[in-house]
């Protein structure tokens, strides 16, 4: 028999790899703006036409490139920013993976004009399908102008996946704001379809935040500023009346890089406890600066997520810094929120964190007293008799970190050890009130069920596909083209999750079976909902297709708030929850229950 395996041609390999970095016009905007920053530009202009679908152009006055570099920069793994693997832990530039321009060149038509300071002439280059089709000298200003036209012109299927112009423009806007906010000393402008969206003069961080988020914030920002040997935190949080019902302006920058971190977000939100309603979102723009050796930026292709060597320390600092700021501005009663000077002297904080040091931090009395006294952590050991300001004592760490991760400072006994729950009571058809040996438990039925289903679906992939109930009368469903492409891609996974669906041509499908435990009827609607949710679920590409699907299905199939449960159902739900590997939160990081410990109840009754 003939052998089958072939190497993919470069341009196809590049197109595939590009999927990681360039998902949509906004991803290209981010990469190009960051390249301009890395080139030392002090003026950066972004010009976009038709939400980036026809043109994205970035003009900078940075250091420019030599003719050879101009050609090299489109090669995969071509970078001027790192030389050796160790450099990864001293990253001071935005880029370093050397993939952005290669990816862009694989999926768009690119024109580059660049000139270095002191060079007589510049270089002009045209690239298409990863090939240089023209290179010649050109008269151009110092710096670089890069134009990216007709994104995904050569991958129509991906082009079809782009959202409406309004939606794509919103993504571009978000990326622009993130970069512009991180670099207030750089002039930025942004034009869309010939109209100016932003013109941002150089200024302070505060000025930039106000330019970007609105003049009305002028008197509404509280300064956060905490300098320690380990890290510095600076920036602003909005006064409580700026909190919104929807997640809006929340920005973390770590060494000038915008990052998403539900974990650190939690630190800020918890500092706002009792100041804003629990369902609203505080505004913040915070810069965290620390030694690059303490973070790993290379955990995500778009670098929006990073790993901290010890994220619990960062959490503690962020929470304390925000509390401190709010207290100083008399927004909270003046409780003793000061950062314990002890923590700054902690050897482990001022020295490189090795796992040995980490163990020591975790067990050091100063660290523990810091975490208890200042409530910098949510984890609280219970009956120690010290003052509790924070009733929400759910075990947060267990949820964001693998169970095998570094030992948390206070030991966490999983609740599963004793499965003795008091008879549960359902409240408002949404919460289950019960108790265990650990304390009083308030379980959110919807979120708890999401967690249970999530783990069941994970199992479905690992070993135990869900049982399918075959339909006596298979249902025919008709989908929009984009949805049908998507569903086709997801069919094998859907089968493991209990949906037996076969394509029937012309964007139609036949549903032969559905998950045995979820009833029948409404197949069209359910599947459309799943697809819709899947698409909107997250732009994050850290999350694999499977993971997205599992989270989507868990969200879809979970029992909703407002549904009456029998006492057997409520009992089963609580038991199932605490039999989960990670009962504390949903896969999206929302807490599933809240635990009120005896010490806190005592305090409430002023004992
Ligand atoms: P990375 O930024 O990860 O190094 P890119 O593909 O984004 O990878 O860019 C490749 C290289 O091209 C960069 O390392 C840099 O040397 C050069 N480059 C890209 N954009 C610019 C620019 N606007 N000005 C000067 N040099 C640039
Ligand atoms: Mg780059």
């Amino acid at each position: 028999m003939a052998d089958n395996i072939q190497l993919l041609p470069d341009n196809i390999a590049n197109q595939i790899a590009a999927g990681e970095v360039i998902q949509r016009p906004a991803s290209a905007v981010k990469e190009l703006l960051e390249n301009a920053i890395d080139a030392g530009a002090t003026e950066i202009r972004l010009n976009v036409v038709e939400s980036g679908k026809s043109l994205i152009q970035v003009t900078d006055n940075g250091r420019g490139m030599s003719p050879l570099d101009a050609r090299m920069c489109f090669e995969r793994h071509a970078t001027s920013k790192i030389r050796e693997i160790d450099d990864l832990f001293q990253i001071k530039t935005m880029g370093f993976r050397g993939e952005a321009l290669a990816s862009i060149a694989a999926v768009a038509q690119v024109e580059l004009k660049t000139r270095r300071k002191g060079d007589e002439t510049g270089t002009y280059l045209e690239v298409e399908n990863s090939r240089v089709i023209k290179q010649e000298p050109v008269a151009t200003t110092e710096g670089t102008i890069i134009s990216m036209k007709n994104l995904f012109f050569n991958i129509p299927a991906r082009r079809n996946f782009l959202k409406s112009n309004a939606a794509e423009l919103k993504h571009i806007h978000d990326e622009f704001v993130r970069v512009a906010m991180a670099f207030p000393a750089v002039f930025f402008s942004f034009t869309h379809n010939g109209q100016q969206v932003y013109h941002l003069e150089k200024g302070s961080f505060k000025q930039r935040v106000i330019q970007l988020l609105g003049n009305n914030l002028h008197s509404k920002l509280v300064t956060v500023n905490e300098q320690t040997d380990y890290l510095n935190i600076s920036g602003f949080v909005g006064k409580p009346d700026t909190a919104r019902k929807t997640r809006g302006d929340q920005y973390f920058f770590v060494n000038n890089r915008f990052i998403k971190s539900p974990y650190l977000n939690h630190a800020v939100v918890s500092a706002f406890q009792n100041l804003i309603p629990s369902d609203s979102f505080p505004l913040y723009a915070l810069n965290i600066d620390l030694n690059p050796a303490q973070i790993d930026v290379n955990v995500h292709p778009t670098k929006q997520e990073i790993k901290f060597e010890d994220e619990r320390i960062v959490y503690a600092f962020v929470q304390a810094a925000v509390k401190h700021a709010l207290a100083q501005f008399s927004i909270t009663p003046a409780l003793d929120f000061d950062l314990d000077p002890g923590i700054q002297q902690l050897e482990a904080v001022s020295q490189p964190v090795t796992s040995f040091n980490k163990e020591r931090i975790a067990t050091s009395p100063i660290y523990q007293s810091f975490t208890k006294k200042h409530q910098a952590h949510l984890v609280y050991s219970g009956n120690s008799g010290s003052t509790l300001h924070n009733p929400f004592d759910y075990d947060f760490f267990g949820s964001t970190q693998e169970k095998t991760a570094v030992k948390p400072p206070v030991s966490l006994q999983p609740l599963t050890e004793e499965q003795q729950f008091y008879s549960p009571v359902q409240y408002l058809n949404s919460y289950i009130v019960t108790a265990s040996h650990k304390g009083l438990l308030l379980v959110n039925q919807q979120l708890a069920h999401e967690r249970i289903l999530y783990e069941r679906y994970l199992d479905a992939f690992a070993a135990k596909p869900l049982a399918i109930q075959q339909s006596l009368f298979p249902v025919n469903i008709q989908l929009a083209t984009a949805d049908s492409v998507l569903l086709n891609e997801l069919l094998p996974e859907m089968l493991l999750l209990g949906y037996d669906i076969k394509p029937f041509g012309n964007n139609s499908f036949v549903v032969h079976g559905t998950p045995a435990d979820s009833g029948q009827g409404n197949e069209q609607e359910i599947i459309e909902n799943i697809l819709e949710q899947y698409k909107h679920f997250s732009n994050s590409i850290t999350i694999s297709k499977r993971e997205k699907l599992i989270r989507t299905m868990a969200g879809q199939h979970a029992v909703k708030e407002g549904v009456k449960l029998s006492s057997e159902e409520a009992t089963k739900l609580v038991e199932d929850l605490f039999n989960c590997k990670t009962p504390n939160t949903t896969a999206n990081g929302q807490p599933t229950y809240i635990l009120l410990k005896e010490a806190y109840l005592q305090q409430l009754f002023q004992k």
Side-chain angles (χ1 to χ4, degrees):
M1 286 247 280
D3 298 323
N4 284 324
I5 299 179
Q6 295 188 354
L7 281 180
L8 287 173
D10 274 354
N11 61 332
I12 297 184
N14 280 340
Q15 281 182 1
I16 293 172
E20 289 233 299
V21 190
I22 308 297
Q23 292 216 301
R24 52 168 23 112
S27 352
V29 166
K30 169 181 189 283
E31 295 297 336
L32 296 178
L33 292 176
E34 290 186 348
N35 278 348
I37 295 281
D38 285 345
T42 55
E43 291 181 14
I44 300 176
R45 293 179 167 77
L46 169 66
N47 177 23
V48 170
V49 175
E50 216 201 323
S51 300
K53 292 175 185 173
S54 43
L55 175 72
I56 294 170
Q57 183 180 58
V58 172
T59 304
D60 70 54
N61 67 346
R63 69 178 67 89
M65 284 179 265
S66 70
L68 186 60
D69 280 354
R71 206 183 170 93
M72 271 292 282
C73 72
F74 292 105
E75 297 291 331
R76 186 153 297 278
H77 310 304
T79 182
S80 54
K81 299 171 195 172
I82 60 171
R83 297 260 181 266
E84 314 180 352
I85 195 68
D86 286 349
D87 296 344
L88 271 183
F89 298 93
Q90 284 305 327
I91 295 287
K92 299 207 173 63
T93 49
M94 292 291 110
F96 56 84
R97 294 169 58 114
E99 328 181 282
L101 293 182
S103 299
I104 287 172
V107 295
Q109 295 156 328
V110 183
E111 284 175 28
L112 173 75
K113 276 188 199 173
T114 186
R115 181 164 74 85
R116 292 180 299 181
K117 198 185 189 112
D119 283 358
E120 287 269 291
T121 54
T123 306
Y124 173 80
L125 218 81
E126 262 179 55
V127 187
E128 197 173 294
N129 281 320
S130 301
R131 284 195 194 92
V132 176
I133 53 180
K134 193 173 195 179
Q135 173 161 12
E136 61 192 27
V138 71
T140 178
T141 49
E142 224 173 274
T144 301
I145 308 175
I146 183 155
S147 312
M148 183 189 124
K149 297 179 179 167
N150 303 321
L151 180 60
F152 300 137
F153 76 102
N154 48 358
I155 319 181
R158 299 221 41 205
R159 208 174 154 89
N160 287 339
F161 268 94
L162 294 179
K163 300 236 171 75
S164 66
N165 280 351
E168 294 298 346
L169 184 61
K170 170 82 171 75
H171 286 293
I172 291 177
H173 176 268
D174 291 350
E175 294 294 356
F176 175 83
V177 167
R178 290 163 184 174
V179 180
M181 198 182 291
F183 295 93
V186 175
F187 166 90
F188 281 91
S189 74
F190 172 15
T191 320
H192 182 242
N193 289 344
Q195 282 196 322
Q196 187 165 293
V197 187
Y198 283 109
H199 178 98
L200 306 171
E201 295 298 346
K202 302 169 193 174
S204 65
F205 184 61
K206 182 167 190 177
Q207 287 165 333
R208 185 56 58 89
V209 168
I210 291 170
Q211 284 172 324
L212 288 167
L213 304 186
N215 277 326
N216 55 333
L217 284 180
H218 205 76
S219 57
K220 303 224 173 246
L221 297 178
V222 177
T223 305
V224 177
N225 196 355
E226 220 62 64
Q227 318 275 323
T228 74
D229 295 342
Y230 185 75
L231 52 64
N232 296 332
I233 299 176
S234 63
F236 303 93
V237 293
K239 291 187 178 165
D241 60 335
T242 59
R244 293 276 166 274
K245 286 287 174 221
T246 54
R247 186 183 296 279
D249 292 312
Q250 301 190 322
Y251 302 89
F252 280 118
F253 301 97
V254 174
N255 295 352
N256 293 103
R257 186 187 305 281
F258 171 83
I259 60 149
K260 292 186 178 154
S261 169
Y263 182 71
L264 294 185
N265 174 62
H266 191 277
V268 177
V269 170
S270 68
F272 269 89
Q273 196 121 77
N274 301 329
L275 292 175
I276 59 173
S278 60
D279 59 348
S280 62
F281 299 88
L283 177 149
Y284 58 85
L286 294 172
N287 298 304
I288 301 170
D289 293 299
L290 76 176
N291 181 343
Q294 299 289 355
I295 56 178
D296 186 354
V297 191
N298 192 33
V299 292
H300 187 278
T302 66
K303 312 180 214 89
Q304 284 198 351
E305 280 165 33
I306 62 171
K307 248 177 86 185
F308 291 97
E309 174 79 26
D310 188 336
E311 65 175 358
R312 284 169 300 130
I313 293 186
V314 183
Y315 182 102
F317 276 124
V318 168
Q319 191 192 43
V322 174
K323 279 190 174 181
H324 190 194
L326 291 170
Q328 275 193 328
F329 283 76
S330 307
I331 290 169
T332 55
L335 298 166
D336 59 339
F337 287 136
D338 286 9
L339 256 184
D340 192 332
I343 196 159
Q344 291 183 45
Q345 287 145 25
L346 260 185
E347 245 181 295
V349 170
S350 49
Q351 284 177 2
V353 179
T354 60
S355 40
F356 170 69
N357 270 341
K358 235 179 326 197
E359 284 289 329
R360 285 204 315 184
I361 302 179
T363 50
S364 113
I366 297 179
Y367 189 74
Q368 292 203 2
S369 77
F370 171 68
T371 59
K372 284 180 197 162
K373 185 158 161 242
H374 299 279
Q375 294 302 304
H377 285 252
L378 288 164
V379 179
Y380 185 75
S381 62
N383 319 312
S384 72
S386 69
T387 325
L388 278 166
H389 304 310
N390 180 349
F392 299 111
D393 190 10
Y394 42 90
D395 298 344
F396 191 71
F397 295 128
S399 60
T400 50
Q401 304 193 333
E402 297 295 330
K403 290 232 153 143
T404 50
V406 197
K407 266 227 309 274
V410 181
S411 76
L412 300 175
Q413 298 298 328
L415 273 162
T416 45
E417 285 198 346
E418 275 180 47
Q419 295 290 356
Q420 296 293 356
F421 296 107
Y422 292 77
S423 313
V425 175
Q426 198 189 18
Y427 177 61
L428 296 176
N429 290 342
S430 301
Y431 302 94
I432 300 168
V433 185
T434 181
S436 77
H437 68 292
K438 285 216 127 191
L440 190 60
L441 277 165
L442 260 180
V443 179
N444 179 301
Q445 66 188 42
Q446 179 173 346
L447 299 175
H449 198 210
E450 255 187 70
R451 161 54 62 183
I452 295 165
L453 291 177
Y454 173 80
E455 296 203 357
R456 190 172 300 159
Y457 296 159
L458 272 185
D459 271 1
F461 283 118
K464 298 181 270 208
L466 293 199
I468 300 175
Q469 174 166 6
Q470 295 294 339
S471 312
L472 288 178
F473 307 102
V475 183
N476 200 308
I477 61 171
Q478 183 72 38
L479 296 176
T481 308
D483 282 354
S484 136
V485 174
L486 181 58
L487 182 59
N488 260 316
E489 244 182 64
L490 296 175
L491 286 180
E493 282 84 6
M494 298 272 291
L495 184 63
L496 295 173
L497 296 176
Y499 283 94
D500 180 6
I501 304 174
K502 304 239 156 40
F504 200 63
N506 268 338
N507 301 334
S508 74
F509 294 82
V510 179
V511 184
H512 292 278
T514 49
D517 59 359
S518 68
Q520 292 190 319
N522 274 344
E523 281 77 4
Q524 170 107 21
E525 194 185 326
I526 291 173
I527 287 161
E528 278 180 356
N529 280 342
I530 291 174
L531 295 175
E532 196 52 31
Q533 181 68 36
Y534 180 91
K535 283 186 288 184
H536 284 273
F537 178 73
S538 161
N539 305 314
S540 162
I541 53 173
T542 30
I543 305 182
S544 69
K545 176 170 135 188
R546 258 181 196 194
E547 177 74 19
K548 271 194 207 174
L549 187 65
I550 292 178
R551 292 195 195 179
T552 301
M553 300 269 272
Q556 285 283 316
H557 290 311
V559 61
K560 300 293 176 297
E561 288 178 5
V563 174
K564 177 119 196 72
L565 302 181
S566 68
S567 78
E568 291 75 36
E569 287 169 327
T571 309
K572 177 92 169 62
L573 191 88
V574 173
E575 280 175 9
D576 285 355
L577 177 66
F578 290 102
N579 279 323
C580 284
K581 290 205 184 78
T582 313
N584 321 47
T585 61
T586 65
N588 301 320
Q590 285 164 284
T592 50
Y593 68 90
I594 285 169
L595 176 66
L596 303 177
K597 292 190 171 164
E598 193 195 350
Y600 176 64
L601 298 175
Q602 294 265 339
Q603 193 215 339
L604 281 183
F605 291 106
Q606 309 191 342
K607 283 187 134 181

